[in-house]
Amino acid sequence: MNDSKPHTLLVVEDEKLLLDLLAHHLEQEGYRIVTCMRGDEAIELARRERPDLCIFDVMLPGLDGLSICRILRRESDVPIILLTARAAEIDRVIGLDNGADDYVVKPFSLPELTARVRAALRRTPQRQSNRLNIGSIEVDMTGRRVFRDGTEVRLSHKEFELLAVLLRNRGAVLSREMLITQVWGFDFTGDVRTIDVHMRWLREKLEADPSHPAHLQTVRGVGYRVD
Ligand code: CA
């Protein structure tokens, strides 16, 4: 099989000189590089570009590297390397369960960083499309695409997340509260019936007869299940 597609790396660093240096060096190493300088732009960029690995500086404007890690971890298992500036930061970086795979302390050498990148990519199983079928519905979990009778169905980010959580727990009943936590996060303050609304939308998009769903089941008084 010819797998010549270069790995995409997302590099987020607010020191312009360092960012340019990293991007240039990693490009020379054969990677495709996507960059930004603000933490709050990193999330959207990661969702859009689906990098094979992320490198985040810890101290960033907008959103710090640790918060980016936590947010991305809810939706992806992309390897993440953190760049920490000071010894004082290291305790926070390794002490917290932030989902990072590795960290590099500044100042670091470019070969050192490259070695860490290679090691992290090696640990990641080769990403293949991970497709699941439920009846005539096919879900590409890696590519985040959904097909019904072979035709692609467009889902919103939250709709896909909800479907993915149910699929990963196929056959199990998940409560609304559990689904809210998994899809919207612990800090969600809205109504748990948001789940019902999203389930209705999912059924309308995916079920042949949305009022008598074959797969997206309501378990009365408990929650939802995918069969
Ligand atoms: Ca910084």
Side-chain angles (χ1 to χ4, degrees):
M1 221 172 77
N2 179 19
D3 184 19
S4 58
K5 196 168 162 283
H7 283 117
T8 298
L9 272 49
L10 170 60
V11 185
V12 186
E13 164 63 64
D14 58 323
E15 287 169 58
K16 181 84 170 77
L17 275 176
L18 179 56
L19 180 64
D20 290 347
L21 187 68
L22 291 177
H24 179 72
H25 177 76
L26 291 166
E27 257 162 19
Q28 301 283 72
E29 295 287 323
Y31 300 109
R32 175 176 168 261
I33 307 299
V34 178
T35 66
C36 69
M37 295 175 65
R38 292 187 55 89
D40 44 3
E41 288 166 14
I43 305 284
E44 262 323 295
L45 206 51
R47 283 178 185 153
R48 199 169 65 228
E49 296 286 337
R50 301 185 193 298
D52 298 289
L53 180 139
C54 296
I55 300 173
F56 300 140
D57 189 24
V58 171
M59 297 296 284
L60 289 168
L63 190 68
D64 68 77
L66 298 175
S67 303
I68 307 173
C69 269
R70 279 192 293 270
I71 293 169
L72 283 188
R73 265 296 160 269
R74 285 188 203 146
E75 48 198 75
S76 133
D77 55 2
V78 61
I80 299 172
I81 298 176
L82 289 172
L83 306 179
T84 78
R86 293 184 305 273
E89 269 176 27
I90 298 172
D91 289 345
R92 279 182 69 215
V93 169
I94 57 178
L96 284 176
D97 180 20
N98 53 57
D101 296 82
D102 201 356
Y103 68 97
V104 180
V105 183
K106 294 178 186 175
F108 51 84
S109 72
L110 291 173
E112 182 190 353
L113 180 68
T114 313
R116 303 291 189 92
V117 166
R118 273 200 217 103
L121 286 172
R122 259 201 311 273
R123 283 195 297 270
T124 317
Q126 212 46 53
R127 272 152 212 254
Q128 293 158 352
S129 79
N130 173 12
R131 287 180 180 241
L132 298 176
N133 287 287
I134 20 168
S136 59
I137 307 164
E138 185 175 15
V139 183
D140 175 353
M141 299 290 274
T142 316
R144 300 174 66 91
R145 298 172 75 187
V146 179
F147 303 84
R148 188 181 142 197
D149 297 320
T151 305
E152 182 159 15
V153 180
R154 295 272 166 204
L155 298 188
S156 72
H157 180 70
K158 293 294 186 204
E159 287 165 359
F160 185 87
E161 285 298 307
L162 180 57
L163 181 64
V165 170
L166 286 162
L167 277 174
R168 282 196 285 266
N169 298 278
R170 194 166 177 171
V173 186
L174 302 182
S175 70
R176 289 183 176 81
E177 290 73 19
M178 191 184 287
L179 290 167
I180 284 281
T181 306
Q182 295 269 322
V183 177
W184 277 266
F186 285 103
D187 45 3
F188 178 78
T189 51
D191 194 316
V192 291
R193 293 197 179 271
T194 302
I195 289 288
D196 303 343
V197 175
H198 280 76
M199 284 300 290
R200 199 173 70 228
W201 290 338
L202 274 179
R203 283 176 178 147
E204 282 165 8
K205 290 182 179 181
L206 299 177
E207 293 277 1
D209 180 358
S211 43
H212 299 95
H215 308 294
L216 302 166
Q217 305 287 357
T218 302
V219 181
R220 216 163 279 287
V222 189
Y224 292 103
R225 182 183 70 210
V226 163
D227 288 327

